[in-house]
Amino acid sequence: LINFTRNLIVLKTPLLFPKEHIIIEVLENIEPDPSVMAALREFKRQGFRIALDDFVYDKKFNDMISLCTLIKFDIIATPLDTLGPIIADIKTRHAITLLAEKVETHEEFEQAKSMGFGLFQGYFFARPEIVSKKDISPSQMTKLNLINAAGQKELNLTAIETLIKRDL
């Protein structure tokens, strides 16, 4: 999931990415104006998946919803108790996966699951951890670059040769 601003959507920046590896995430402050909708239709036509982030329902978003494969609801900003009719309406009209963000308790998880949510994020599942990092040696970096170069659809033998010469 990659967040894109309105400007990046209108400029069709997501088309620079491989559609198989990303989901275009439309931020909550983006209105469904004609320029945005035209870009989203183009993304959908080309096979991109589209998600709405921190979604708060309003009928003005109906056309945008029809282009989406995923809707993310922040269940702290929009409590589950208020979402029942909205979720039911969306699920009857669209084949969309629903994601509940900020799930903090087992009860919230069970309630969201029973309402039709299929994906979940939040502290209930895992708390953030501080991960200590080790520096990557130049040799390890060369190996990673070599693996990346060798994994391309079209091999660039000159680039592979350069990587090998760097660290025999």
Side-chain angles (χ1 to χ4, degrees):
L1 291 160
I2 300 177
N3 288 321
F4 289 94
T5 63
R6 181 195 180 283
N7 191 40
L8 291 174
I9 288 171
V10 171
L11 291 173
K12 299 185 180 172
T13 304
L15 295 176
L16 298 173
F17 294 88
K19 65 183 173 206
E20 301 82 15
H21 299 293
I22 71 163
I23 297 176
I24 299 166
E25 194 165 338
V26 181
L27 297 171
E28 63 274 9
N29 61 349
I30 297 176
E31 293 291 319
D33 64 55
S35 298
V36 168
M37 293 304 297
L40 293 177
R41 283 186 193 96
E42 176 66 15
F43 302 150
K44 181 76 170 184
R45 189 186 67 70
Q46 291 201 30
F48 283 85
R49 295 169 292 170
I50 300 168
L52 299 178
D53 187 32
D54 292 340
F55 185 69
V56 177
Y57 180 77
D58 186 296
K59 64 182 177 182
K60 68 182 176 183
F61 293 112
N62 283 340
D63 287 341
M64 196 181 275
I65 292 170
S66 68
L67 299 172
C68 292
T69 55
L70 176 71
I71 298 178
K72 297 171 69 175
F73 286 91
D74 175 339
I75 66 167
I76 291 178
T78 310
L80 289 170
D81 294 337
T82 66
L83 286 176
I86 294 166
I87 297 298
D89 182 53
I90 290 171
K91 294 290 270 181
T92 58
R93 293 187 297 123
H94 307 282
I96 292 180
T97 301
L98 302 175
L99 185 148
E101 294 181 293
K102 300 184 182 167
V103 177
E104 295 189 356
T105 67
H106 180 72
E107 293 76 24
E108 288 173 338
F109 168 65
E110 289 298 332
Q111 183 180 1
K113 191 166 67 169
S114 70
M115 292 173 71
F117 284 88
L119 299 173
F120 309 89
Q121 293 176 334
Y123 287 159
F124 173 66
F125 304 100
R127 298 257 178 210
E129 298 177 23
I130 296 175
V131 178
S132 61
K133 80 171 183 101
K134 240 178 145 175
D135 287 336
I136 296 176
S137 72
S139 174
Q140 290 171 315
M141 194 60 176
T142 300
K143 288 176 191 172
L144 289 172
N145 287 331
L146 187 56
I147 289 168
N148 184 43
Q152 299 300 311
K153 285 184 180 178
E154 292 186 31
L155 291 179
N156 180 340
L157 295 178
T158 305
I160 292 173
E161 177 186 11
T162 303
L163 289 168
I164 292 171
K165 283 181 178 178
R166 244 190 245 157
D167 186 358
L168 296 174

